[in-house]
């Protein structure tokens, strides 16, 4: 975004109503704090509990880190805007926010795909699970997810750095995002818009293809299990991941694939807010409430803390 006459932007946020702003602030503050605590708890448990040293929890630990990073790239600044009434964001801060929110979001999609592959190996090839999903392989998969995220966003980001802003600096959103920035740019944005759409669709298709293929093989394998109890156990190990997949893909497809959603700015902002606040808060609870090992690890940690305090 070549910055000629405009050095700052103004983020309009969700509403100008003072009473609604108070409610939004309270809602966002609570969801943000709960999300940070929940995800930090997951990360801590995977470090301290020996039963959570498997590849599945290694990916879950990295996913929780991504969730913290994703929501922290946007929500604290918006909370500051609501608390102080200062809606101004500098050009450089805006660019940085676009970079990190997009990087974390795209990386998260690839990590969810890697988690699907992990579930496939665990259920379809259990005897080779430890060999296939070794520590080195898991680390490389996470590393590749980050590189894939960076590779996907580098092209639209490079084009975005050449955008000119001449007349308007008012962003009709609560964060710096590609869509509202393109609307106020005085440059030709057709190529940039198509690039953003291609990258978004490419991310969705590549990761979704991996997810679908993994779960098709999982379902085929599970239905060959002779015992109903074995089937339930296999599906229960995937249920949390499937819920998170549904939330993540559902909300993003609503924004990028639904034409009416792109025209309705208010709906777009509300859905974006849910992605940045509700999803990071819900995910730790989804994984912990539906996972006996996580619940047991949390219970054991609480008992150790209480025992330590009593002593």
């Amino acid at each position: 975004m070549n910055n000629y006459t405009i050095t700052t932007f103004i983020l309009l946020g969700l509403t100008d109503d003072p009473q609604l702003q108070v409610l939004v602030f309270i809602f966002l503050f609570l969801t943000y704090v709960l999300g940070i605590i929940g995800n930090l708890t997951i990360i801590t448990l995977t470090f301290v509990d020996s039963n959570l040293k498997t590849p599945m929890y290694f990916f879950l630990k990295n996913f929780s880190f991504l969730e913290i990073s994703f929501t922290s790239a946007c929500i604290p600044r918006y909370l500051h805007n609501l608390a102080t009434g200062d809606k101004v964001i500098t050009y450089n801060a805006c660019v940085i926010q676009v970079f990190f929110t997009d990087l974390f979001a795209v990386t998260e999609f690839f990590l969810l795909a890697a988690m699907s592959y992990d579930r496939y190996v665990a259920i379809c090839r259990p005897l080779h699970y430890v060999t296939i999903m070794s520590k080195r392989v898991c680390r490389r998969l996470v590393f590749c997810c980050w590189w894939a995220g960076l590779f996907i966003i580098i092209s639209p980001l490079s084009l975005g750095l050449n955008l000119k802003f001449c007349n308007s600096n008012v962003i009709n959103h609560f964060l710096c995002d590609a869509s509202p920035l393109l609307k106020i740019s005085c440059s030709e944005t057709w190529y940039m818009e198509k690039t953003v759409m291609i990258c978004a669709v490419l991310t969705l298709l590549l990761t979704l293809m991996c997810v679908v293929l993994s779960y098709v093989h999982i379902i085929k394998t599970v239905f060959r299990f002779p015992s109903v109890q074995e089937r339930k156990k296999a599906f229960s190990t995937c249920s949390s991941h499937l819920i998170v997949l549904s939330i993540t893909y559902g909300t993003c497809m609503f924004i990028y694939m639904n034409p009416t959603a792109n025209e309705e700015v208010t709906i777009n902002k509300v859905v974006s807010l849910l992605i940045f606040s509700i999803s990071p808060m819900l995910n730790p609870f989804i994984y912990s409430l539906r996972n006996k090992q996580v619940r047991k690890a949390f219970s054991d940690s609480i008992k150790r803390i209480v025992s330590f305090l009593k002593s």
Side-chain angles (χ1 to χ4, degrees), residues 300-311:
D300 292 342
S301 298
I302 294 296
K303 289 177 182 177
R304 284 196 294 267
I305 292 171
V306 171
S307 177
F308 174 78
L309 292 174
K310 285 182 178 180
S311 63

Side-chain angles (χ1 to χ4, degrees), residues 144-202:
C144 288
C145 290
W146 281 97
W147 269 108
L150 186 62
F151 178 78
I152 288 289
I153 70 166
I154 202 69
S155 179
L157 186 68
S158 300
L159 292 172
L161 291 172
N162 293 314
L163 291 178
K164 301 175 184 177
F165 299 93
C166 314
N167 302 318
S168 176
N169 69 334
V170 179
I171 299 174
N172 190 11
H173 215 298
F174 63 88
L175 80 158
C176 288
D177 192 38
S179 179
L181 283 169
L182 288 171
K183 289 179 181 178
I184 64 171
S185 174
C186 54
S187 302
E188 173 56 51
T189 61
W190 182 88
Y191 187 62
M192 173 71 179
E193 289 173 1
K194 297 303 178 186
T195 303
V196 170
M197 180 58 69
I198 289 170
C199 289
V201 172
L202 185 65

